[in-house]
Amino acid sequence: MELITAPLLTAPIHKVFLDENLDLKNSSSCTCPSPNHQLELRLPLRYPIHNFPHHTSPQPLTPQTTTLRKKKKRKWASTSDILCLMDALPFPIPIDIYTSLIKECTDSGDPETAIELYTHITQSGIKPPLSLLNRILIMFVSCGLLENACHLFDSMTVRDFNSWAILFVALYDNADYEEATAVFVNMLGQLGMLEFPPWIWACLLKACACTVNIPLGMQVHGWLLKLGFCDHVLLSSSLINFYGRFTCLEDATVIFNGVSRRDTLTWTAKIINDCRERHFSEVLGDFKEMGREGIKRDSFTFSSVLKACGKMLNHERCGEQVHADAIKLGLVSDDYVQCSLIAMYGRCGLLIDAKQVFDMTRNEGKVDCWNAMLMGYIENGLYIEALKFLYQMEAAGVQPQESLLNKIKIACASITYSSMN
């Protein structure tokens, strides 16, 4: 479901309203008309107003004038310039102009321009339609003005699904899961149980998991059963993740077995649950089954399987086999896969292999890979190498995790104490 369906202006605003000879950014002043004097718009012009030339037929361009025009830089008018110009004109600003300016501000993400534009709209005397208010909500959220978005939402006398969904997603993206779930419950009370798009149910299930709101999550499961949505791949994987988060593997297994079409999300959700419960053999079995069924295995799948291989200490060289599969599928350069490979080899004591993978990433400034390599040295008791590696991290401008620094400090203190005795 698309949030906004109102038409937008396709042409840039300066091409619609401004003459290219006007330089609004260098304008000395722009006065608004008052009831008692004539309209006066002071803008820099190429010619004085009292001596404006009469245009004749265009003359052919000479090479010299062509060169001059190429060197001239095109200057774009800002939102403030456009608003100032429109204030000086003797007619109200059309809503389409505000819509275009809101879209530009949403794309730029400038909070100051967003506040200026909203203030201008409120002072213009127009009554914004619901579609424009929804666009302003999106603009505030895109510019990081969540409090302004909440204030505008509370002041809206009429709200539709788009209004509620914008605020819900904004709170969800801000990790304010308690408020997000409250907004969703209120939306249900106001709009009823509509056929919401699957992604919004998936976000709600994750919010329930993060806030440990098991009753609401189970209610969501009941709603989805009633609506017949549990067979949807996104929602089935979200339910598997939800129940797996609270070690309800039987419920997760029932959902997994009831899905008619399993995809990457569904299989990966099951693998994550099995890995969390230390069912490492099942993790490897599911990984192989995905390959046999031709299911795409993404970077998150490999990351979870490599974690299981590390916990199994590379039993039967399973980690190296997964590494080979990652190379075949072209995923070995992925950040998650590289970090997981370094961590797996480090946990298994294969520091040479871990260093080879790390050397592929060290020039790209991936902090997680640096910390994974440092963890490998610490876990294998190579504290001298860990100290040397810390100097390399400092030279590369990489900040190690505080927990890893504490482990090195404790280890060095223990070694010093033992040598003294």
Side-chain angles (χ1 to χ4, degrees):
M1 178 183 294
E2 296 181 358
L3 296 183
I4 298 298
T5 57
L8 295 175
L9 291 178
T10 56
I13 194 69
H14 70 283
K15 293 184 179 180
V16 180
F17 297 99
L18 304 180
D19 184 89
E20 65 178 0
N21 295 329
L22 303 183
D23 186 1
L24 298 182
K25 289 186 177 180
N26 296 327
S27 172
S28 59
S29 64
C30 183
T31 58
C32 299
S34 64
N36 298 324
H37 70 76
Q38 297 179 349
L39 174 67
E40 181 183 6
L41 177 62
R42 295 200 296 271
L43 293 171
L45 301 176
R46 183 176 297 179
Y47 304 98
I49 294 179
H50 65 271
N51 192 24
F52 207 84
H54 297 285
H55 293 286
T56 58
S57 58
Q59 299 297 325
L61 295 176
T62 63
Q64 183 178 3
T65 57
T66 305
T67 304
L68 290 175
R69 290 195 178 187
K70 285 183 179 180
K71 291 182 178 179
K72 184 179 179 180
K73 294 183 178 179
R74 192 177 188 87
K75 296 183 178 180
W76 302 91
S78 66
T79 299
S80 300
D81 297 329
I82 296 172
L83 293 176
C84 184
L85 175 62
M86 298 306 296
D87 283 339
L89 297 178
F91 52 81
I93 300 179
I95 290 180
D96 287 345
I97 305 303
Y98 281 129
T99 301
S100 181
L101 293 175
I102 289 171
K103 182 179 182 301
E104 291 183 6
C105 185
T106 301
D107 294 338
S108 66
D110 183 7
E112 294 182 0
T113 303
I115 294 175
E116 179 186 10
L117 182 55
Y118 176 67
T119 302
H120 195 279
I121 293 174
T122 56
Q123 295 175 353
S124 65
I126 67 170
K127 186 177 180 181
L130 180 58
S131 60
L132 186 67
L133 292 175
N134 287 338
R135 288 184 179 275
I136 296 174
L137 280 176
I138 296 176
M139 177 184 70
F140 280 151
V141 172
S142 301
C143 296
L145 301 171
L146 183 57
E147 291 186 4
N148 299 70
C150 293
H151 180 74
L152 173 61
F153 180 85
D154 293 337
S155 66
M156 293 169 62
T157 57
V158 179
R159 309 182 185 105
D160 61 2
F161 169 75
N162 293 331
S163 312
W164 288 96
I166 292 167
L167 185 63
F168 170 77
V169 173
L171 294 168
Y172 174 85
D173 287 341
N174 199 49
D176 196 349
Y177 301 119
E178 291 281 359
E179 288 294 327
T181 53
V183 167
F184 192 93
V185 172
N186 289 332
M187 178 176 63
L188 286 177
Q190 294 291 325
L191 304 179
M193 193 181 300
L194 303 176
E195 290 191 6
F196 298 140
W199 60 264
I200 199 168
W201 292 107
C203 291
L204 179 60
L205 282 169
K206 183 176 179 181
C208 292
C210 293
T211 56
V212 199
N213 195 339
I214 300 177
L216 180 58
M218 296 180 70
Q219 280 186 296
V220 173
H221 187 187
W223 291 333
L224 295 178
L225 284 171
K226 187 175 182 179
L227 295 171
F229 285 174
C230 285
D231 196 38
H232 191 281
V233 289
L234 174 60
L235 296 179
S236 60
S237 61
S238 299
L239 285 168
I240 293 171
N241 283 324
F242 171 77
Y243 284 115
R245 185 79 171 261
F246 304 110
T247 65
C248 302
L249 294 187
E250 292 184 3
D251 299 277
T253 303
V254 169
I255 296 170
F256 179 82
N257 294 332
V259 177
S260 59
R261 184 174 62 88
R262 299 166 185 158
D263 69 345
T264 305
L265 288 175
T266 314
W267 278 102
T268 303
K270 184 177 185 303
I271 287 174
I272 291 174
N273 287 344
D274 290 335
C275 187
R276 184 186 292 118
E277 295 302 311
R278 304 182 67 84
H279 299 164
F280 304 128
S281 298
E282 292 186 25
V283 169
L284 293 175
D286 291 340
F287 182 76
K288 295 176 182 178
E289 185 64 25
M290 289 180 69
R292 285 192 292 267
E293 293 186 8
I295 305 297
K296 180 183 177 181
R297 295 170 287 184
D298 60 13
S299 58
F300 297 104
T301 311
F302 275 91
S303 178
S304 301
V305 175
L306 286 169
K307 182 178 180 180
C309 294
K311 296 287 187 179
M312 296 174 66
L313 301 179
N314 198 26
H315 177 64
E316 295 183 354
R317 302 172 67 107
C318 58
E320 293 165 286
Q321 295 176 26
V322 176
H323 188 179
D325 287 339
I327 295 174
K328 291 178 183 178
L329 296 176
L331 293 173
V332 73
S333 59
D334 181 86
D335 292 355
Y336 289 104
V337 176
Q338 288 177 343
C339 184
S340 300
L341 282 169
I342 296 171
M344 184 271 295
Y345 282 128
R347 180 178 288 272
C348 299
L350 304 173
L351 274 304
I352 296 177
D353 300 274
K355 191 65 166 56
Q356 288 178 348
V357 177
F358 174 77
D359 288 338
M360 297 170 54
T361 66
R362 64 181 305 172
N363 295 328
E364 301 177 24
K366 299 176 181 177
V367 179
D368 291 337
C369 292
W370 283 86
N371 284 308
M373 191 69 224
L374 179 61
M375 174 63 81
Y377 288 125
I378 295 173
E379 288 182 337
N380 288 275
L382 304 175
Y383 301 115
I384 302 299
E385 286 77 3
L387 289 173
K388 293 179 180 178
F389 193 75
L390 277 176
Y391 284 109
Q392 295 181 26
M393 295 180 71
E394 182 181 2
V398 179
Q399 181 66 32
Q401 292 180 359
E402 189 68 26
S403 59
L404 298 181
L405 286 176
N406 292 334
K407 288 183 179 181
I408 294 177
K409 291 177 182 178
I410 294 173
C412 292
S414 177
I415 293 173
T416 304
Y417 178 78
S418 298
S419 61
M420 292 177 62
N421 294 330

